[in-house]
Structures are given as structure tokens and as C-alpha cells.
């Protein structure tokens, strides 16, 4: 299972900015928003400001209007200091949308510009979710592990705790206050739907069910994330061209972006809950390419490693929710 958030670099992102993001990720482990010793804005300043600046220098002047501060020489870290990480994400999203609507001509420079901004938005967003590595913890509650990001481990909803924080408090709180919130027994790992025990103390069936498929959830999430950041080609990480092709075609149809982390997590959860196995994914691709159900049955195998009958193929295809049909 992947716990440390991975900053996704968009295909076509400026090479120097890509390298900076990789350097950033190598060093960011101890950094967070709330840490005094390791404030994450300082790391942005040390690692990102300069390469971004250099990248902007390579662009025609008209582009600088779409990067906050670029026209006036104000660095990324300084803007973030002024508007906050969340504010920066919102602002940059808006400017990027405007660029795509009005200025984008899909030239190489444009494509690189968009990919670079998307990658930077992702980085800033990940920073806002980043929690300190070392914190004081008590009574077996391991805050280090549980506060790595705001998402439920099993879906795209915020954890009960993160949800609480968003609604009630702002995110700049210290560890002592966090300890106090623990008394409310909000889950740091799961959303209210997936909390292990119900408020009456009984085990939650939704939790047990989702927990059993946790490994598959992370596999699908990883595939979705990677395909989302590399839309233009079929990825082969699954080891099977047809499965890769399924994710490629699915992503072509969706308008999701790597920064849409919640939606991607929800999608992975629905995929697993709908029992969309790799075999079914292959069937969908084969059907899309024009094969009959009988032909599909000859190309895929059932649980006993035998070809499938036309009836079995028909039944399997009929069980697939609409949103996954290619
Ligand atoms: Zn959940």
C-alpha cells in the first residue's frame, strides 16, 4: 500500500521543473505546513522558486499573466506566503482554465506550459495535505501514520477527522490542539462511511467489505493516477496490453486531471465495489474493438483458466455499470 503521497508530474512538463519536483520530493519527508523547523514553504523557496523562474524566462511575455506573480518577479513561495497553499491552488487553477479557454493554441510551448502548471498545482496541493513526519503521539494513536493525507484510506472522501478540520477549524493548528480533537474519537484513517466501528460499537460491514478489497483499490488507484497523467499513451504497468488499453480509453472519455485526487479515489473505489475484474476490463476492450461475445469468450479465460462460453461473457458484460462501458 502506498502511504506517502506521490507528486505526479505531467507528461510534457518542462524538464527543468520536472527535475526540481523530483528533488523536492526527495527532500520533503520532514516538511509540512505546521512544522516550525521544517516549514514546507521554505522547501518550495529553496528548491522550486529558481527553476520556475528560469522556466518563465524561456516563455513569451504574454504567458506571465497566467502565473501569479510572474509578471512582477514575485516568486512562487512568496505568493503562497500571501495567499496560502489552498488559495494558490484555486488561483492557479482559475488562471490555467482562462489560459486554456483564451490563449491556448496547442503549440508545443502551450502544451508544455499546461503540463507544467498542472504539475505545479499538484505539488502545491500535495503540500497542503502534507502532515509532519515527527509529532508527539500518545495512547497508541500514531499521528505520524494517520495524518499523512486527508483522505479516507479506502475511498475519496475526507477522513472524519479531516472533514471535521475543514468544517470547524482552519488547518493551521498545533499538535496539542490535535490531541484534544482525538477525544472526539473521529477517525483519522477513514471517512464516516468506512469507519471500522459504528457509533453503537458494532462492526461496520461497509468497512469490512472495503478493507478486504483494499489492495485492489490501491492497484486501481495507481493505474488511474498514472494513466491520468499520461493520457496520450497506453501504459503497460499492468503487464497486459488490453488492461492498459481499458484505462487509456476510459481516461480519454473522462475530464479528470491528476489533481482531482478525490474523484480519482472515488472512481477506484467504485471500480472495486462493482467487481470490475481485469477479465471484465479486457472484455470491454475486445467488445469495443468489434468482437462478438463468442469471440471474446475465446480470448479471455474464466477462473478455471478455460475459455468462456458466450453466455458467461454475456452475463459478465451485463453486470458492468454503465460508467465503465467503453
Ligand atoms: Zn471512505
Amino acid at each position: 500500500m502506498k502511504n506517502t503521497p506521490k507528486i505526479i508530474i505531467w507528461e510534457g512538463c518542462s524538464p527543468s521543473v520536472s527535475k526540481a519536483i523530483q528533488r523536492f520530493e526527495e527532500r520533503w519527508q520532514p516538511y509540512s505546513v505546521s512544522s516550525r523547523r521544517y516549514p514546507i514553504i521554505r522547501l518550495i523557496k529553496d528548491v522550486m522558486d529558481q527553476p520556475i523562474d528560469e522556466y518563465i524566462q524561456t516563455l513569451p511575455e504574454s504567458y506571465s499573466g497566467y502565473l501569479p506573480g510572474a509578471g512582477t518577479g514575485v516568486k512562487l513561495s512568496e505568493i503562497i506566503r500571501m495567499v496560502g497553499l489552498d488559495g494558490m491552488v484555486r488561483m492557479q487553477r482559475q488562471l490555467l482554465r482562462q489560459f486554456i479557454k483564451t490563449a491556448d493554441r496547442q503549440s508545443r510551448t502551450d502544451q508544455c506550459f499546461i503540463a507544467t502548471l498542472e504539475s505545479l498545482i499538484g505539488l502545491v496541493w500535495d503540500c497542503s495535505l502534507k502532515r509532519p513526519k515527527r509529532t508527539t503521539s500518545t495512547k497508541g494513536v500514531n499521528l505520524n501514520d494517520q495524518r499523512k493525507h486527508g483522505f479516507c484510506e479506502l475511498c475519496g472522501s475526507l477522513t472524519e477527522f479531516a472533514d471535521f478540520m475543514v468544517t470547524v477549524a482552519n488547518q493551521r493548528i498545533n499538535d496539542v490542539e490535535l490531541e484534544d480533537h482525538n477525544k472526539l474519537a473521529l477517525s483519522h484513517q477513514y471517512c464516516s462511511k468506512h469507519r471500522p466501528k459504528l457509533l453503537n460499537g458494532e462492526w461496520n460491514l461497509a468497512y469490512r467489505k472495503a478493507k478486504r478489497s483494499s489492495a485492489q483499490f490501491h492497484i486501481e488507484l495507481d493505474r488511474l493516477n498514472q494513466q491520468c497523467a499520461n493520457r496520450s499513451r497506453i501504459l503497460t504497468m499492468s503487464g497486459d496490453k488490453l488492461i492498459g488499453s481499458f484505462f487509456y480509453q476510459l481516461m480519454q472519455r473522462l475530464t479528470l486531471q491528476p489533481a482531482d485526487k478525490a474523484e480519482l479515489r472515488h472512481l477506484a473505489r467504485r471500480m472495486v465495489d462493482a467487481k470490475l475484474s481485469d477479465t471484465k476490463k479486457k472484455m470491454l476492450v475486445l467488445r469495443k474493438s468489434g468482437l462478438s461475445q463468442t469471440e471474446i469468450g475465446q480470448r479471455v479465460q474464466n477462473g478455471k483458466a478455460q475459455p468462456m462460453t458466450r453466455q458467461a461473457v454475456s452475463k459478465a458484460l451485463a453486470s458492468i455499470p454503465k460508467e465503465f462501458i467503453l
Side-chain angles (χ1 to χ4, degrees):
M1 195 195 297
K2 265 183 159 170
N3 272 325
T4 314
K6 177 125 184 59
I7 303 170
I8 291 174
I9 300 172
W10 275 52
E11 187 179 22
C13 173
S14 135
S16 56
V17 174
S18 300
K19 277 205 203 83
I21 294 176
Q22 282 161 7
R23 276 202 303 278
F24 185 88
E25 201 169 18
E26 280 160 20
R27 289 179 52 186
W28 82 329
Q29 196 68 270
Y31 288 82
S32 75
V33 188
S34 54
S35 171
R36 265 165 224 231
R37 249 181 96 196
Y38 296 103
I40 204 147
I41 295 182
R42 195 179 72 208
L43 189 63
I44 294 176
K45 179 171 184 284
D46 290 351
V47 182
M48 300 306 302
D49 278 357
Q50 180 75 15
I52 293 172
D53 221 31
E54 284 166 12
Y55 169 64
I56 294 168
Q57 301 301 324
T58 68
L59 295 170
E61 214 182 306
S62 59
Y63 287 65
S64 61
Y66 299 99
L67 267 153
T72 49
V74 182
K75 307 273 192 287
L76 175 68
S77 62
E78 293 166 39
I79 299 275
I80 292 174
R81 229 181 271 282
M82 284 186 261
V83 301
L85 291 160
D86 294 350
M88 180 67 199
V89 169
R90 270 199 306 277
M91 190 152 69
Q92 188 61 81
R93 274 225 156 285
Q94 220 161 354
L95 288 171
L96 177 58
R97 217 170 289 144
Q98 204 173 341
F99 173 81
I100 291 171
K101 261 202 326 226
T102 60
D104 177 25
R105 287 174 311 278
Q106 282 292 302
S107 66
R108 277 182 79 115
T109 310
D110 291 349
Q111 286 171 357
C112 174
F113 186 63
I114 292 169
T116 305
L117 288 190
E118 288 286 9
S119 304
L120 288 174
I121 291 170
L123 178 135
V124 177
W125 172 248
D126 287 337
C127 286
S128 74
L129 296 176
K130 183 89 164 44
R131 296 292 170 252
K133 189 175 163 57
R134 284 183 201 83
T135 52
T136 50
S137 70
T138 52
K139 288 175 254 151
V141 179
N142 191 342
L143 293 173
N144 300 354
D145 284 344
Q146 298 181 1
R147 296 214 319 260
K148 279 195 177 122
H149 53 61
F151 289 118
C152 167
E153 275 186 17
L154 301 168
C155 74
S157 302
L158 291 177
T159 65
E160 284 188 312
F161 180 75
D163 192 40
F164 172 78
M165 299 304 279
V166 169
T167 351
V168 187
N170 65 45
Q171 298 201 345
R172 282 169 236 276
I173 50 162
N174 60 42
D175 288 330
V176 179
E177 288 170 301
L178 281 173
E179 298 296 343
D180 286 343
H181 288 307
N182 274 333
K183 291 174 194 146
L184 291 165
L186 296 172
S187 177
H188 285 250
Q189 274 173 291
Y190 305 104
C191 67
S192 52
K193 186 183 160 199
H194 290 126
R195 63 157 33 231
K197 285 200 172 169
L198 301 172
L199 290 174
N200 63 14
E202 282 174 24
W203 280 99
N204 178 4
L205 289 177
Y207 161 78
R208 289 196 156 170
K209 194 167 156 244
K211 191 76 180 170
R212 271 198 297 271
S213 57
S214 165
Q216 193 59 30
F217 167 74
H218 285 278
I219 290 172
E220 306 291 22
L221 180 61
D222 197 36
R223 290 165 166 180
L224 287 169
N225 277 332
Q226 297 296 340
Q227 187 64 56
C228 194
N230 298 276
R231 271 166 198 279
S232 65
R233 57 198 163 95
I234 296 173
L235 301 180
T236 49
M237 54 198 276
S238 65
D240 187 296
K241 187 96 197 282
L242 286 174
I243 297 172
S245 183
F246 169 79
F247 283 93
Y248 170 78
Q249 293 187 49
L250 182 71
M251 211 41 86
Q252 292 289 320
R253 194 155 57 68
L254 301 172
T255 52
L256 291 174
Q257 300 175 323
D260 298 325
K261 289 185 191 295
E263 286 81 356
L264 285 162
R265 295 180 71 91
H266 279 309
L267 183 60
R269 171 46 57 200
R270 289 199 300 277
M271 197 177 272
V272 175
D273 284 351
K275 298 197 167 59
L276 186 71
S277 62
D278 283 350
T279 303
K280 287 183 186 170
K281 294 185 191 96
K282 292 184 205 171
M283 288 181 182
L284 288 169
V285 173
L286 292 169
R287 181 169 71 176
K288 185 75 199 289
S289 68
L291 265 60
S292 71
Q293 292 184 346
T294 309
E295 289 167 327
I296 294 172
Q298 288 156 358
R299 296 278 297 274
V300 296
Q301 294 188 329
N302 63 17
K304 294 172 194 144
Q306 290 159 341
M308 287 174 74
T309 62
R310 190 197 67 75
Q311 287 81 357
V313 171
S314 166
K315 199 175 152 207
L317 284 170
S319 74
I320 298 172
K322 231 186 188 160
E323 69 168 322
F324 300 117
I325 308 267
L326 299 173

